[in-house]
Each structure stands twice: as structure tokens, then as C-alpha cells.
Amino acid sequence: MKKRYLFPADYMADPSVHVFNGRLYIYPSHDWESENVENDNGDQYIMKDYHVLSTDDVMEGEVIDHGKVLDLQDIPWAGRQLWDCDVAEKNGKYYMYFPMKDRNDVFHHGVAIADRPEGPFIPQPDPIRGSYSIDMCVFKDEGEYYMYFGGLWGGQLQRYKDNKALEEPYLPSGKEPALPSRVVRLSDDMLQFAEEPRPVVIVDKDGKPLTADNPYRFFEAQWVHKYNGKYYFSYSTGDTHMLCYATGDNRFGPFTYQGVILTPVVGWTTHHAIVEYKGKWYLFHHDSVPSGGKSWLRSLKVCELEYDAEGHIRTIEGMD
Ligand code: FUB
């Protein structure tokens, strides 16, 4: 299968991808060389700004870097670490949602606004009220906008239960239900949550929630798309290093586990977006091959994604 490194000039990761005005826009994290020892808290991911990339030909065309569109030092509540962002368009304005640690090292979600998909994005003064954890995907469905979010370990999801901060983090183990991703409807002005976030439960073929010891359970990097009327919820399994997916009949789930989209890549993290462009489906993701395996220096990659006649996604080899 043909694959392509999209932007060899720099280390970028965590692609969120959308088609705006007929052009394909990529909103990645911008990786930085880090002196930190690699740890489970993700301290090696010290990103400080965002760039926007775009193209009109995914496998062959020129990928344009529109430059720096948001800088950590311009965000009033900034602490550190700009991780995976996403962008949505409403009424001609473009809203970038990004996770960042505040000065107490707690992740919240910021919003920054632009007049064009390629930015620049101007940050709001404060984070979204009640926001927590990382890795947002904003999905437009029937005229409303929904944000999916959450990530374990360094992503801090284990610090919350029922949308409240816990005194002590709690990570389920063994046969306990795995920690779920979250979904929330955004307010009409796109700047706040319109309701309390709800859990996104992934169940097996018997309708039982995947358990914490299941290697295919949710960890981080959620993405949602629709294919043939079905909702596809895809995600990274984190410490088992796969991209997997589950399907459902509505945006809130539960989603039934279906299979592996991408087997492990070189590097610890795996993270993706699935998008249709000019009649073909693509998997955008990253790996650490060009940096010689440094997990904090990742490179954007793309390949075609295929479904079988029943709508199952064909598994792609991560090491190819
Ligand atoms: O890029 C930092 C973190 O690494 C992301 O938020 C995760 O999804 C993982 O890719």
C-alpha cells in the first residue's frame, strides 16, 4: 500500500484533518526536541505553537505550511504543552480547540478564532468552563457541534469522575470497565460546553463494556466520522499502541468494538484522523521513523483507507 510522509521538513504529529472550501487542511501538534527524560506523564511533549498545513492532492501534491498560527506565549492562561487540537467551521468563522496545561499543570481546553481556515487564530482569554483532559475531536452532526475528548495517564482523564476532579486519581484495572472517552455538545457561540460531558462507552459484541485489561480499550486520540449512515468512533489504545474503531447508530454511543485500523508504528504514540477527500478515504497519522525512533519527534504520514462491503475497515500495517 502506498504511504507518504506529508511534511518531511519538520516534526509534526496528532493530525486533525478537515476539508474547508474544497481544500484539505491539516491541524497537527508541532513537536519539539526535548531534554526531558521520557516518562508516563508525557513531559517530553513540550509543544509551544501550532502550524496549519494544506494541500489539494493528498498523495502527490505540494503540502503548504501556512506558518505559525497560534503561540503559547499569546494565550493568557498558558502554562505549558499544546497538545492535539481540532478546528471547526461555523458561519464563516473557524474555531480552534486546543488542550493546554494551566499554571497549576492541569489540562483545560482553549478556543482560538480565525476568519480563514489557515488562521491566524486569536485565543479567548480563558479556557472553556468545566473542560479537562486532552485530544479533542469536534464533529458536526445535524447542525450541532459535538466535542469528543479524553486521554489517560499524562492526559489526566483518571483525575475525573462524573466531570468532577477527584481527590486522588483513579485508573480502573482488571475486569473493571475501562475509562471512557467523553462527548459534549458545544454552545451556539462555540465557546463553551452546552451541557455536561457524557461518557462514550465501547462495548463488545455481547453489549458488555470493554474492560480495563482489554488491549483494545480506549486510551486517547478519539476521532469520529460517518460512513454509510453509521458513526465510526476510532481511538488509540495507548500502551498497546494500536488504532482501533467501534461503530454505532448515534453520536453518543454505545459503540460496538469492530477491530484494528493500524497496527503499532515506530514510536510510543499513535494518533490519527479519517477523512474523505475527492471520493477517496484517507488515514492520516504519525510515526517516529524519520527521527530514528524518538517518541517525542514524530512525522505526519498518510495512506488510503479501505472498507469492505460490510463497512469494516481493512487493517493497515503500521511498520510498512
Ligand atoms: O502529542 C501529545 C500526545 O501524544 C497527544 O495528545 C496524544 O494523543 C499522543 O499522540
Side-chain angles (χ1 to χ4, degrees), residues 292-305:
K294 287 184 179 176
S295 66
W296 59 95
L297 289 180
R298 300 160 294 179
S299 295
L300 294 172
K301 213 169 173 182
V302 67
C303 63
E304 279 188 37
L305 177 131

Side-chain angles (χ1 to χ4, degrees), residues 3 5 241 262-267 285 287 289 301 316-320:
K3 296 189 178 180
Y5 282 104
H241 313 290
L262 184 72
T263 62
V265 296
V266 171
H285 69 103
D287 70 25
V289 171
K301 213 169 173 182
I316 298 164
E317 263 312 308
M319 296 288 180
D320 283 354

Side-chain angles (χ1 to χ4, degrees), residues 133-154:
S133 198
I134 60 163
D135 282 4
M136 47 276 291
C137 159
V138 179
F139 177 67
K140 185 180 180 188
D141 198 28
E142 294 169 354
E144 299 281 357
Y145 294 77
Y146 299 86
M147 182 195 283
Y148 295 78
F149 66 92
L152 276 57
W153 297 14

